[in-house]
Amino acid sequence: AGTLVRADPRTQLGLVRVGIRNAVEALHECRYEMVTSLSLGIMARGLSDMSLHSAALAKCDEVERLIQTCGDFLRMPGLNARGYCLAAAGEPEAAEQSYRAAIELSRSQGVKSGQVRSTVDLAQLLMGQARTEEAHRLLRPLVIDAGDEVSLDLSLARRLLG
């Protein structure tokens, strides 16, 4: 069971860092390398949400090292996590490159769901830069191609198209 700790924000942040480090070590000890790459990507997004951008990008680097060791299978979520962290760190051009790399990887592997996820992430970035028409040009063919299919990412894509 978890324990609620009352402390100043710096102390709480230190506890979060220790908790993340312990979680990563536990996953490595259990040999969950494929799950670990996905979990580290989620952790990177969380660190980024806490404005710990250098720690978030370090997690993305760790994800990339794991992927290179274990294979290319989970590379697309790692690229998406990197794009998210770069955008939050104020590096939209690098974020866009990461999302575009994820889209191309998904296309080359024939992973339609990954392509939709990455395109939605890129479209959100572009719309935040007032590049709405470009975002719509990317989303429209995927939504048309999906027809009546239903998923969270397709729902978001449809909503972004208006």
Side-chain angles (χ1 to χ4, degrees):
T3 304
L4 181 61
V5 177
R6 264 191 118 132
D8 72 79
R10 288 177 301 212
T11 303
Q12 290 176 347
L13 186 56
L15 292 173
V16 168
R17 287 181 179 149
V18 169
I20 289 173
R21 193 172 15 258
N22 290 341
V24 170
E25 289 171 7
L27 287 169
H28 284 295
E29 286 173 17
C30 296
R31 298 183 188 263
Y32 285 120
E33 294 300 323
M34 294 300 280
V35 172
T36 301
S37 65
L38 186 57
S39 300
L40 288 174
I42 292 167
M43 287 181 199
R45 285 176 178 254
L47 289 167
S48 186
D49 287 343
M50 296 181 338
S51 296
L52 299 170
H53 303 301
S54 57
L57 291 170
K59 284 288 169 224
C60 291
D61 292 340
E62 190 173 344
V63 169
E64 190 63 30
R65 281 192 301 277
L66 273 174
I67 290 166
Q68 289 172 359
T69 302
C70 299
D72 219 23
F73 191 53
L74 291 178
R75 187 153 192 262
M76 187 274 303
L79 289 168
N80 281 350
R82 179 175 295 282
Y84 180 89
C85 294
L86 287 165
E91 299 182 39
E93 295 85 10
E96 182 175 341
Q97 288 177 342
S98 189
Y99 289 138
R100 289 188 186 279
I103 292 166
E104 287 309 311
L105 180 65
S106 296
R107 273 191 195 132
S108 72
Q109 293 179 341
V111 181
K112 199 65 148 175
S113 61
Q115 187 179 349
V116 172
R117 166 80 270 165
S118 301
T119 303
V120 165
D121 287 345
L122 176 57
Q124 289 175 314
L125 176 73
L126 295 174
M127 291 174 97
Q129 298 173 332
R131 296 165 61 188
T132 304
E133 190 54 43
E134 185 179 351
H136 286 186
R137 276 195 307 272
L138 291 169
L139 291 170
R140 198 170 288 113
L142 294 174
V143 169
I144 291 169
D145 199 38
D148 292 336
E149 288 181 49
V150 177
S151 75
L152 289 174
D153 292 325
L154 283 169
S155 295
L156 183 52
R158 289 179 181 108
R159 199 168 336 124
L160 291 172
L161 284 169

